[in-house]
Amino acid sequence: MGLGDIRYEDVIAATEEFRSLGRDNFLQQYGFRRAKSYEMVLDGLRYDSKAIVGVAHGHATGEFLRAGDFSGGAATVARCLHELGFVVEAGETFHNPAALLERLRKLKVSRGPGNPAPSRHHPLSLLWAISREADERPRMTPWPQFRDEVGPLLVEFGLPNAKATPEYPFWHLRGSGLWEVQGIPAELTEEMPKTSILDAHHPRAGFKEEAAGLFRDPVTRLDAIATICETYLEDVDRQALFERIGLAGYTTAGSLSSPSEDESSDAGTDEHGRATGPAPRRDTTRSVIVRDEALARKVKELEGDRCQICDTALRRLNRPYSEAAHIRGLGRPHHGPDELQNLLCLCANCHVLFDGLEIYVDPDGLVRGTRGDREPRPLRRDPGHPMDEAHIGYHRDLCNLNARKPAIG
């Protein structure tokens, strides 16, 4: 079927529908899948070229083409759009984590007058959205919630004297290719909508589905957080930021547990304010990870209940005592596997230091301190105790994320 009836304005009308409906709804409504080969690029945004042409044909002739009605490719869809003056590029798939990280390194961040430092609005907003993926919360967020949660972050962690304008990243992050906004009428998208329009229409914004899918992988998510921090937030107190933004799990190698509620005591006190009677108690309900105790016993047996880092052999109640430590933590946000390759046999002291990101194993198998104040020593490994280098590298990346300069190796 010919595409010669399509005019420039028909393509523009199709892109307006695309932005108004959102990518997923647009493709579903008109019977297309995501582009695998070619994307049309217009004003910094990327569109599925075949879907745009099919809908543009409908605007031109009244006959909306579906995916099975015509072929896509360089000789048809790309040629049609090129001849109308549009830019068509090979589609960059986000099934590739490397492409995702490259997009994060190339964010279009503004620079204020007299301040050469890049604005932190986009990076902080992305970290906030990544924390939602780590918590398995909805991908798209309504504008009022984005405004009320991201706005204070921009005040606390933005550049000094910079205005907190959450509407800017809410809308302009679309230019990253990772982000979409849904719910704004097409006729109001020629330029950035005023806050009064956002308040009136309650649009939603968030990562595109393909980007969100990559952020759900713990390893890619850690790489993304590190990339954003190293590229745009080098001087920010990361532990304070992570605590505030919902990424506190990345300040420890262990699993994130829910903070306990403040204890309320009904115990009496004497005239000096000291408690009298037994310590108070309260009933609680909590969810805990079920560990394979046989694996813990196995790693201790293989290593002879001797710490693999400091070689200490402890005893408790007249029995050998050691702890099975997970290299990549179980549960949120690390979701490491409970397997022998993810376990170390450590003493209590080294376990605390390892989970607290004070020590790490370098690529040569030497245990080093993140502050550079420890003499390196080799990690002892029993021949029968396999360890996955990917888990060790994940822990090392966590240490690097939380360490101050210079970067650890």
Side-chain angles (χ1 to χ4, degrees):
M1 184 168 295
L3 305 177
D5 293 326
I6 298 175
R7 299 163 299 176
Y8 179 90
E9 53 266 33
D10 300 321
V11 175
I12 296 298
T15 63
E16 291 174 350
E17 278 194 72
F18 186 105
R19 294 197 304 272
S20 177
L21 294 173
R23 184 183 196 183
D24 293 341
N25 291 336
F26 180 84
L27 296 177
Q28 182 177 6
Q29 178 170 320
Y30 288 107
F32 288 89
R33 294 184 178 180
R34 296 172 183 266
K36 293 183 178 180
S37 301
Y38 295 98
E39 290 179 333
M40 189 185 86
V41 183
L42 179 64
D43 295 332
L45 301 180
R46 305 179 79 90
Y47 301 85
D48 302 87
S49 58
K50 187 174 182 181
I52 290 295
V53 167
V55 175
H57 189 273
H59 285 288
T61 67
E63 181 181 2
F64 289 84
L65 303 180
R66 302 181 77 84
D69 295 334
F70 66 112
S71 62
T76 52
V77 167
R79 179 179 178 180
C80 169
L81 293 172
H82 277 308
E83 289 178 349
L84 292 172
F86 294 99
V87 175
V88 180
E89 296 180 355
E92 184 176 10
T93 175
F94 286 103
H95 295 297
N96 179 356
L100 175 74
L101 299 179
E102 186 64 18
R103 286 287 181 95
L104 292 176
R105 294 187 188 97
K106 295 182 178 179
L107 294 177
K108 295 180 179 179
V109 291
S110 62
R111 298 177 186 270
N115 192 341
S119 167
R120 296 174 181 169
H121 282 40
H122 282 14
L124 290 170
S125 298
L126 288 175
L127 284 179
W128 172 85
I130 290 173
S131 76
R132 291 177 58 84
E133 290 297 336
D135 286 341
E136 300 179 359
R137 298 172 68 186
R139 177 173 65 89
M140 303 296 288
T141 305
W143 156 245
Q145 182 180 357
F146 183 96
R147 175 196 61 210
D148 294 345
E149 294 185 12
V150 174
L153 288 173
L154 304 182
V155 173
E156 293 178 51
F157 297 98
L159 292 174
N161 303 319
K163 293 183 178 179
T165 52
E167 64 274 13
Y168 183 87
F170 182 87
W171 181 255
H172 285 295
L173 272 173
R174 299 178 311 147
S176 68
L178 308 173
W179 191 263
E180 62 180 324
V181 178
Q182 301 176 0
I184 295 291
E187 62 272 15
L188 300 178
T189 60
E190 292 298 322
E191 56 186 23
M192 177 178 166
K194 297 180 179 179
T195 53
S196 59
I197 294 176
L198 297 178
D199 292 339
H201 290 276
H202 288 247
R204 302 184 305 153
F207 289 122
K208 293 182 177 180
E209 181 56 48
E210 63 269 39
L214 285 177
F215 285 125
R216 294 182 194 119
D217 172 62
V219 176
T220 301
R221 189 165 62 236
L222 174 59
D223 288 342
I225 293 170
T227 296
I228 292 171
C229 289
E230 291 165 5
T231 307
Y232 308 102
L233 304 171
E234 187 65 34
D235 298 328
V236 173
D237 184 335
R238 293 178 189 175
Q239 292 196 350
L241 173 61
F242 290 172
E243 183 71 31
R244 177 66 177 80
I245 212 167
L247 294 172
Y250 288 94
T251 62
T252 172
S255 302
L256 182 64
S257 58
S258 299
S260 59
E261 299 177 3
D262 292 337
E263 296 285 354
S264 58
S265 172
D266 295 327
T269 58
D270 61 19
E271 66 272 19
H272 301 293
R274 294 175 298 190
T276 61
R281 297 177 182 273
R282 63 184 174 89
D283 294 330
T284 62
T285 301
R286 61 176 184 158
S287 174
V288 297
I289 296 170
V290 179
R291 298 177 51 170
D292 188 338
E293 294 300 330
L295 283 175
R297 290 193 298 269
K298 179 68 172 177
V299 72
K300 295 177 184 182
E301 178 184 310
L302 285 170
E303 300 295 347
D305 282 299
R306 187 177 294 275
C307 180
Q308 292 180 249
I309 291 177
C310 70
D311 212 35
T312 297
L314 298 174
R315 294 188 69 83
R316 179 175 179 270
L317 300 178
N318 203 31
R319 293 182 179 178
Y321 178 80
S322 62
E323 296 180 356
H326 285 88
I327 302 169
R328 177 175 150 199
L330 306 184
R332 292 190 302 123
H334 312 302
H335 296 291
D338 193 16
E339 61 184 16
L340 186 61
Q341 294 89 337
N342 191 33
L343 283 173
L344 293 173
C345 178
L346 301 179
C347 68
N349 187 51
C350 288
H351 193 172
V352 170
L353 294 175
F354 190 84
D355 278 0
L357 307 179
E358 295 291 333
I359 55 177
Y360 68 97
V361 183
D362 74 10
D364 296 322
L366 296 177
V367 179
R368 297 179 180 273
T370 54
R371 304 173 190 273
D373 55 354
R374 288 174 60 101
E375 192 69 29
R377 60 184 303 164
L379 179 72
R380 200 188 69 253
R381 305 185 186 213
D382 185 273
H385 177 195
M387 281 175 275
D388 192 327
E389 293 298 328
H391 299 327
I392 294 175
Y394 182 93
H395 179 271
R396 187 164 57 245
D397 289 343
L398 264 183
C399 291
N400 210 8
L401 177 62
N402 285 273
R404 290 299 180 184
K405 296 179 181 178
I408 64 178

